[in-house]
């Protein structure tokens, strides 16, 4: 949700950021590429040809000297005319064709001067050797002048070659640097675009997820099986979902009747919800035998109440069954030992005098061996129910019968009975059992132990004394 809100809020900013980054990178790549093209053009058109021309000029100077030495040795006119003059013309053309940014004015003047000296010396050499006298000394002097002129031009040419070579290296290095920078720019731009695309993908994915979630939330009131009612500040229904209509059909009641019974508790629950930190309240209502749990929410933005209704009838019935099973004997349905302890605890807390009678069926072991466990359980349950019916007639009000074990029962009298009254109740219980039909030649008999609450301080003490009294009664009967 947070990413979706950021995406919707800053989507235009992100778009212009990507566009600006792309434009900047494209401009830099274009400028770098243009610089690379310019450097390569200068290398191809100017520097490399100039370097070759300088190297060729140096060679031509050496060739001129070689041709003149050969002419001196052979006096072959073709060597002078075709060899020397061709090399001399080519050298002059090379000097003229070299650009000013390659050939400085001083270097050009120096090379031209030496070429002129070589040309003049060559003419003098040709004249000296062309005479019939053949002035060899003069020819040798001219050869020395030619060699010295070549040597004088050579340092300047070498410096120019080194300068051009250095410029070629710098241009190539600059081109390589620009290529590397373009490569790094492209790699950086690719990574930046990949990161931004990842961010966009995450944002778009979050946006669509949020949209789907909003759609699901918007459809939730219509799809939920629980009834929902929306109320305004005046408790007027402004929305009810289809589940609420199904609830009215299920209850067989009109909207007005249902709303009238719910609204009896609504004002109080709304006040409690507004004052609570959670902002909602739960309460229960009963309608036509159904139990409904109501959850009331205050929507501060919409200034409305949402009332969620849940049918908890099955849960309530299950709770009742569990409560009954926890507090009643499973066979007879009478209160069990847990309820006996709770009743004694209440009587002691209220400091109310009471009497406790424990009753035990004497022939239980014989009945189990002759009748089986199921029939014996049924017989004990019938006896317990009979004790309860008899007690309701002969005992004081609020007296209860408890089924503790298979053949053990307890009776609580909420008042301390007099010895005569207690004896009368015990005799009637014994008479009830004696009048019970014989079971497979067994006459049913019971033992009873009685204890009063007087001077006792805890329910456990009362139970312990009652068991002791029961054991004494059973031992006396056996004796």
């Amino acid at each position: 949700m947070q990413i979706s809100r950021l995406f919707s809020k800053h989507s235009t900013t992100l778009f212009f950021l990507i566009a600006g980054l792309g434009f900047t990178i494209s401009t830099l790549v274009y400028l770098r590429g243009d610089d690379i093209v310019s450097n390569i053009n200068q290398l191809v058109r100017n520097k490399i040809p100039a370097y070759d021309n300088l190297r060729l000029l140096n060679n031509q100077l050496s060739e001129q000297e070689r041709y003149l030495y050969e002419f001196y040795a052979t006096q072959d006119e073709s060597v002078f005319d075709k060899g020397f003059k061709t090399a001399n013309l080519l050298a002059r053309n090379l000097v003229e064709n070299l650009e000013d940014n390659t050939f400085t004015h001083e270097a050009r003047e120096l090379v031209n001067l030496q070429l002129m000296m070589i040309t003049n010396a060559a003419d003098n050499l040709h004249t000296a050797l062309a005479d019939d006298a053949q002035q060899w000394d003069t020819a040798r002097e001219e050869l020395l002048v030619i060699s010295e002129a070549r040597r004088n031009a050579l340092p300047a040419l070498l410096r120019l070659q080194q300068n051009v070579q250095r410029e070629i290296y710098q241009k190539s290095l600059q081109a390589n640097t620009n290529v590397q920078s373009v490569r790094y720019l492209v790699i950086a731009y690719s990574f930046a675009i990949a990161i931004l695309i990842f961010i966009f993908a995450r944002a778009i994915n979050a946006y669509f997820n949020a949209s789907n979630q909003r759609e699901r939330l918007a459809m939730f009131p219509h799809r939920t099986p629980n009834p929902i009612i929306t109320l305004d500040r005046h408790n007027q229904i402004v929305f009810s979902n289809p589940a609420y209509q199904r609830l009215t059909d299920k209850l067989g009641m009109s909207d007005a009747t249902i709303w009238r019974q719910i609204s009896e508790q609504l004002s109080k629950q709304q006040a409690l919800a507004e004052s609570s930190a959670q902002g909602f309240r739960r309460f229960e209502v009963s309608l036509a035998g159904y139990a409904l749990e109501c959850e009331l929410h205050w929507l501060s933005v919409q200034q409305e109440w949402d009332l969620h209704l849940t049918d908890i009838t099955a849960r309530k019935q299950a709770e009742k069954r569990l409560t009954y099973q926890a507090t009643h004997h499973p066979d007879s349905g009478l209160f069990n030992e847990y309820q006996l302890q709770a009743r004694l605890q209440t009587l002691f807390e209220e400091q109310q005098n009471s009497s406790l009678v424990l009753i035990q069926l004497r022939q239980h072991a014989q009945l189990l061996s002759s009748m089986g466990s199921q029939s014996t359980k049924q017989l004990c349950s019938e006896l317990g129910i009979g004790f309860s019916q008899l007690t309701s007639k002969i005992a004081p009000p609020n007296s209860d019968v408890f089924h503790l074990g298979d053949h053990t029962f307890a009776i609580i009298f909420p008042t301390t009975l007099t010895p005569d009254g207690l004896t009368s109740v015990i005799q009637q219980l014994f008479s009830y059992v004696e009048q019970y039909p014989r079971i497979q030649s067994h006459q049913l008999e019971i033992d009873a132990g009685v204890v009063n609450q007087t001077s006792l301080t805890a329910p456990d003490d009362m139970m312990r004394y009652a068991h002791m009294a029961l054991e004494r009664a059973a031992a006396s009967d056996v004796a």
Side-chain angles (χ1 to χ4, degrees):
M1 295 294 290
Q2 186 70 17
I3 296 177
S4 175
R5 287 195 293 269
L6 288 174
F7 173 71
S8 60
K9 183 178 181 181
H10 301 290
S11 57
T12 305
T13 304
L14 288 174
F15 172 77
F16 281 110
L17 176 63
I18 293 177
L21 182 61
F23 177 78
T24 303
I25 297 297
S26 300
T27 303
L28 291 174
V29 170
Y30 173 78
L31 294 177
R32 295 289 184 182
D34 186 65
D35 195 13
I36 292 171
V37 171
S38 176
N39 289 333
I40 292 176
N41 287 336
Q42 289 184 15
L43 288 174
V44 173
R45 295 178 182 179
N46 299 326
K47 300 304 178 181
I48 295 177
Y51 181 78
D52 289 338
N53 289 336
L54 287 172
R55 183 176 54 80
L56 185 58
L57 178 59
N58 189 14
N59 293 336
Q60 292 305 317
L61 291 177
S62 299
E63 284 295 308
Q64 289 182 71
E65 184 178 7
R66 186 183 64 82
Y67 282 129
L68 290 175
Y69 270 93
E70 184 180 352
F71 175 68
Y72 172 79
T74 62
Q75 291 90 42
D76 186 356
E77 289 293 333
S78 63
V79 173
F80 184 83
D81 292 334
K82 294 181 179 180
F84 168 74
K85 288 186 177 181
T86 302
N88 184 266
L89 179 61
L90 181 58
R92 289 180 181 277
N93 290 335
L94 288 173
V95 173
E96 293 298 329
N97 291 332
L98 284 172
E99 297 181 356
D100 293 337
N101 58 357
T102 303
F103 234 158
T104 63
H105 179 71
E106 293 79 4
R108 189 185 297 275
E109 291 296 328
L110 176 61
V111 173
N112 282 330
L113 178 61
Q114 302 305 319
L115 282 175
M116 188 178 297
M117 290 176 62
I118 291 172
T119 302
N120 293 335
D123 291 339
N124 294 334
L125 175 65
H126 184 268
T127 302
L129 294 179
D131 288 342
D132 294 335
Q134 291 187 339
Q135 303 173 10
W136 294 103
D137 293 336
T138 302
R140 282 193 296 274
E141 291 176 357
E142 296 300 331
L143 286 176
L144 292 174
V145 172
I146 291 171
S147 296
E148 185 178 359
R150 185 188 66 80
R151 287 193 298 271
N152 290 337
L154 185 59
L157 291 176
L158 291 177
R159 284 195 300 272
L160 290 175
Q161 280 182 307
Q162 290 174 355
N163 292 337
V164 173
Q165 189 176 10
R166 188 182 302 111
E167 290 181 1
I168 291 174
Y169 174 75
Q170 291 176 351
K171 292 293 184 182
S172 62
L173 182 62
Q174 186 177 359
N176 288 332
T177 303
N178 289 333
V179 170
Q180 291 293 335
S181 63
V182 168
R183 181 186 300 173
Y184 292 144
L185 283 173
V186 171
I187 292 174
Y189 181 70
S190 300
F191 274 110
I193 290 298
I195 293 172
L196 291 174
I197 289 175
F198 176 75
I199 294 173
F200 257 105
R202 287 283 304 274
I204 291 173
N205 183 54
Y207 177 78
F208 283 120
N209 288 339
S211 298
N212 293 334
Q213 186 175 1
R214 286 195 296 270
E215 183 179 358
R216 287 196 298 269
L217 290 175
M219 294 301 295
F220 173 77
H222 296 277
R223 295 174 177 173
T224 179
N226 296 327
I228 298 177
I229 306 171
T230 301
L231 311 171
D232 60 15
R233 292 192 64 89
H234 305 290
N235 290 338
Q236 299 297 318
I237 298 178
V238 296
F239 170 79
S240 61
N241 66 342
Y244 177 71
Q245 302 302 323
R246 292 193 294 270
L247 176 65
T248 59
D249 297 338
K250 178 180 178 180
L251 298 178
M253 302 170 66
S254 63
D255 290 349
T257 304
I258 295 174
W259 183 240
R260 184 170 58 253
Q261 297 190 32
I262 294 177
S263 60
E264 293 176 357
Q265 301 186 43
L266 192 61
S267 299
K268 177 182 178 181
Q269 298 298 331
Q270 285 175 336
L272 294 173
E274 288 178 339
S275 60
S276 67
Q278 292 83 5
F280 72 92
R281 287 287 298 177
R282 287 192 181 96
F283 59 97
E284 297 179 4
V285 295
S286 296
L287 297 174
Y290 289 90
L292 300 179
E293 182 181 70
C294 304
E295 189 170 301
L296 185 65
H297 290 262
W298 169 242
L299 308 178
S300 58
V301 177
Q302 293 83 5
Q303 293 291 299
E304 293 176 342
W305 294 95
D306 262 2
L307 184 62
H308 298 251
L309 304 177
T310 305
D311 186 2
I312 58 172
T313 305
R315 189 179 77 189
K316 287 294 184 181
Q317 293 174 349
E319 289 176 355
K320 288 181 179 179
R321 286 195 298 270
L322 290 175
T323 302
Y324 180 85
Q325 293 172 4
T327 57
H328 292 74
H329 194 277
D331 298 326
S332 63
L334 299 174
F335 287 129
N336 59 13
E337 187 173 2
Y338 172 79
Q339 282 295 98
L340 173 62
Q341 295 286 346
R343 180 68 182 279
L344 289 175
Q345 185 67 35
T346 302
L347 292 174
F348 272 84
E349 289 176 355
E350 296 176 353
Q351 296 182 353
Q352 183 177 354
N353 293 327
S354 60
S355 299
L356 173 63
V357 178
L358 289 184
I359 301 173
Q360 183 173 281
L361 181 62
R362 187 181 301 171
Q363 295 89 354
H364 183 257
Q366 293 86 345
L367 292 173
L368 278 176
S369 60
S370 61
M371 298 175 57
S373 61
Q374 190 64 33
S375 298
T376 304
K377 284 183 179 180
Q378 184 176 358
L379 174 61
C380 292
S381 298
E382 292 175 357
L383 281 176
I385 295 172
F387 290 154
S388 177
Q389 294 173 350
L390 179 62
T391 301
S392 64
K393 299 176 181 178
I394 64 175
N398 299 323
S399 298
D400 290 317
V401 178
F402 301 85
H403 193 166
L404 305 185
D406 289 338
H407 64 295
T408 305
F409 305 90
I411 304 176
I412 286 185
F413 304 106
T415 60
T416 302
L417 298 178
T418 62
D420 294 338
L422 190 57
T423 302
S424 173
V425 170
I426 297 299
Q427 288 178 350
Q428 293 186 60
L429 291 173
F430 275 90
S431 298
Y432 171 77
V433 175
E434 290 174 357
Q435 295 174 6
Y436 209 85
R438 296 177 65 87
I439 305 297
Q440 295 187 359
S441 73
H442 294 291
Q443 178 62 49
L444 298 183
E445 295 177 340
I446 60 174
D447 297 314
V450 183
V451 64
N452 290 322
Q453 185 181 344
T454 307
S455 73
L456 298 177
T457 59
D460 291 340
D461 294 338
M462 196 169 187
M463 287 294 297
R464 185 171 64 256
Y465 282 114
H467 279 290
M468 292 170 61
L470 179 62
E471 290 173 0
R472 285 196 302 271
S476 65
D477 289 335
V478 171

